[in-house]
Amino acid sequence: MKAKIHLIAAARPNFMKIAPLYHALVGESWAQTELVHTGQHYDANMSDAFFQDLGLPTPHIHLGVGSGSHAEQTAAVMVAYEKVLRESQPDMVVVVGDVNSTIACTLAAAKITYDPKRLAEPGRPRLPMNRPIIAHLEAGLRSFDRTMPEEVNRLATDVLADLLWTPSPDADENLRREGAAEDKIVRVGNIMIDSLEMMRAQIEAEAYFAELGLSKGGYGVVTLHRPSNVDQPDNLRALCALLHDIARKTAIVFPVHPRTRKNLEQAGLLSELRANSAICLLEPVNYVRFMNLVFNCSFVLTDSGGVQEETTYLGVPCFTMRANTERPITVSQGTNQLCTLQNVKSRIDAALDIDGLKARVPDLWDGKTAGRVVASIKKYLCA
Ligand code: UD1
Ligand code: UDP
């Protein structure tokens, strides 16, 4: 009997974390891998486009939960996934990242109890707690800022998970400090880099930046979607003023997240951005095109978690509009700087004036993380 593994995907950043693992697992004769999409992100350009780019099949199970308040969304995923767990009885549930669906599926899996008769079937992996093994990919990251919904999700997920796959030594240390048992922590590296390397040929073959009329190294990429930046009209207005200011010197391309678009519209800020010929506003862009923009830009201004990592890997200067980051290695070793409205413009100007940045790629950010995760799963389930 094969070990049944659920890979949980929910929102845009999850797809790049799940894809390399899915591709690595489908070739394993001992594993039966099922993709579960919770439906947290549902627009074609926030979900389907990534399945297509990353070669993922239609999800085996789709929960279709959609948007809602934190409690509504988390609860909807829990209710829907609990039913799936009862019927499907996976041996392992793999959750990734820090979105609401990550903690929701973790909670549902942590409290389910399987029929002991079913578990006694010959060849079935041993499940000591009569429930699936819960594994968290990208465990241990901490911003130490509990006003971030993601920080709450990270803390709660890691307390419940049985296997904690970490991307960097700081994550191991955070987990140890919180009392995680040493044998749960496995440093596997950064899975986002696997997707980047898996798709490198397609990314490099694209000329999306040129199609938009941009020149190599002659523009900056902007992504903003954190509630702390985009939910308050005053913050958003100040950020828009910053973009207009930057655009006096350098062209900007800004694929707008749906949360941000809604808030820009409500605050009456969208038309002025559209009217600025040095700012190229786009709908969310599929992965290959987005990375083509990042590969060829001179800097990135962002509040995204994943983008901080991708720019560190690529050696692209990254200016993060946040007071903290759960990815401190991108600052200590990489190209990332935490910025404020007051200092970001001068920092960008300074970066544009120098050639090349001194930065290193963190250990195990090497495109081989999925292989290490598969080895860890095999050790755990097939021992
Ligand atoms: C979510 C994650 C965040 C992650 C981000 C990645 C949580 C708490 N937040 O934030 O950690 O960085 O995804 O992009 O899980 N919407 C659409 N279409 C969609 C999806 C969303 O229009 O396909 C709109 C809806 O109005 C929705 C809003 O965007 O209410 C926010 O979506 P939600 O998934 O709740 O949070 P994100 O801001 O996307
Ligand atoms: N991304 C993309 N198109 C876009 C914006 C982002 O393909 O228009 C990719 C990019 O690779 C990034 C990932 O989506 O690393 C993460 O997305 P997001 O910023 O939404 O989530 P976070 O990492 O902040 O949770």
Side-chain angles (χ1 to χ4, degrees):
M1 182 178 266
K2 293 185 180 197
K4 191 191 273 192
I5 301 167
H6 277 184
L7 302 183
I8 311 291
R12 180 166 68 185
N14 297 164
F15 308 134
M16 278 68 86
K17 292 167 195 167
I18 284 298
L21 185 52
Y22 178 79
H23 292 301
L25 276 170
V26 282
E28 296 291 331
S29 58
W30 50 270
Q32 179 192 343
T33 308
E34 293 186 350
L35 277 182
V36 180
H37 193 326
T38 69
Q40 177 169 344
H41 283 176
Y42 43 85
D43 288 349
N45 59 20
M46 294 296 286
S47 178
D48 295 5
F50 293 87
F51 275 68
Q52 219 168 347
D53 271 12
L54 299 165
L56 289 171
T58 304
H60 301 83
I61 298 161
H62 203 301
L63 307 181
V65 297
S67 303
S69 71
H70 286 282
E72 284 165 352
Q73 190 172 59
T74 308
V77 174
M78 285 181 70
V79 171
Y81 190 51
E82 186 184 55
K83 283 197 193 99
V84 169
L85 284 169
R86 280 197 203 298
E87 281 156 26
S88 174
Q89 305 210 13
D91 299 298
M92 178 177 274
V93 174
V94 176
V95 294
V96 299
D98 53 19
V99 301
N100 283 343
S101 303
T102 308
I103 179 59
C105 291
T106 300
L107 272 168
K111 292 186 179 182
I112 200 88
T113 306
Y114 291 162
D115 180 349
K117 276 198 231 102
R118 174 92 204 267
L119 289 176
E121 283 171 14
R124 181 114 200 193
R126 212 175 57 81
L127 300 177
M129 285 185 270
N130 262 1
R131 57 136 177 98
I133 307 298
I134 302 163
H136 185 203
L137 180 53
E138 202 184 85
L141 297 186
R142 298 289 181 267
S143 66
F144 304 100
D145 174 1
R146 291 195 187 189
T147 65
M148 278 185 90
E150 293 82 1
E151 183 74 353
V152 177
N153 294 341
R154 291 180 202 116
L155 283 160
T157 300
D158 286 342
V159 163
L160 295 172
D162 305 298
L163 255 176
L164 299 160
W165 292 317
T166 63
S168 46
D170 55 286
D172 300 13
E173 279 312 309
N174 292 334
L175 292 167
R176 283 189 192 112
R177 199 179 327 103
E178 289 165 16
E182 197 60 38
D183 61 353
K184 287 184 173 184
I185 305 170
V186 184
R187 175 112 52 88
V188 293
N190 190 330
I191 194 83
M192 293 288 283
I193 307 307
D194 285 36
S195 268
L196 195 155
E197 286 302 333
M198 185 174 91
M199 302 306 295
R200 183 184 277 277
Q202 288 91 320
I203 294 165
E204 289 178 344
E206 275 276 339
Y208 187 54
F209 70 98
E211 285 170 37
L212 296 175
L214 301 163
S215 59
K216 190 172 167 63
Y219 65 94
V221 175
V222 175
T223 83
L224 295 165
H225 72 278
R226 295 283 162 198
S228 58
N229 278 326
V230 305
D231 280 6
Q232 301 303 324
D234 287 348
N235 289 351
L236 203 49
R237 194 164 297 111
L239 277 167
C240 288
L242 171 70
L243 297 186
H244 288 294
D245 197 13
I246 295 170
R248 278 193 204 105
K249 187 166 167 186
T250 324
I252 285 173
V253 56
F254 180 11
V256 185
H257 189 282
R259 172 190 284 275
T260 312
R261 178 168 296 273
K262 200 170 73 178
N263 293 342
L264 284 170
E265 264 164 11
Q266 277 170 9
L269 293 162
L270 202 52
S271 48
E272 208 186 330
L273 282 177
R274 274 208 195 100
N276 188 329
S277 60
I279 300 179
C280 175
L281 282 195
L282 300 172
E283 291 293 317
V285 180
N286 64 305
Y287 180 68
V288 169
R289 283 182 156 184
F290 180 76
M291 289 315 304
N292 180 256
L293 291 176
V294 175
F295 269 50
N296 293 287
C297 72
S298 52
F299 70 93
V300 171
L301 177 73
T302 193
D303 57 14
S304 160
V307 174
Q308 292 173 57
E309 300 179 335
E310 290 155 345
T311 46
T312 272
Y313 185 66
L314 295 170
V316 171
C318 179
F319 303 93
T320 297
M321 295 304 295
R322 286 178 45 187
N324 49 58
T325 177
E326 61 289 335
R327 293 159 163 91
I329 203 165
T330 61
V331 176
S332 60
Q333 295 191 13
T335 58
N336 192 16
Q337 298 185 44
L338 298 180
C339 296
T340 62
L341 279 167
Q342 287 69 39
N343 66 21
V344 65
K345 176 75 173 36
S346 59
R347 289 191 184 187
I348 292 174
D349 287 345
L352 293 178
D353 286 344
I354 52 162
D355 255 355
L357 270 182
K358 267 210 193 116
R360 71 178 287 259
V361 174
D363 292 342
L364 302 184
W365 293 26
D366 57 2
K368 295 177 182 150
T369 290
R372 290 186 283 269
V373 173
V374 171
S376 169
I377 298 177
K378 196 169 177 189
K379 195 167 148 201
Y380 210 95
L381 287 183
C382 305

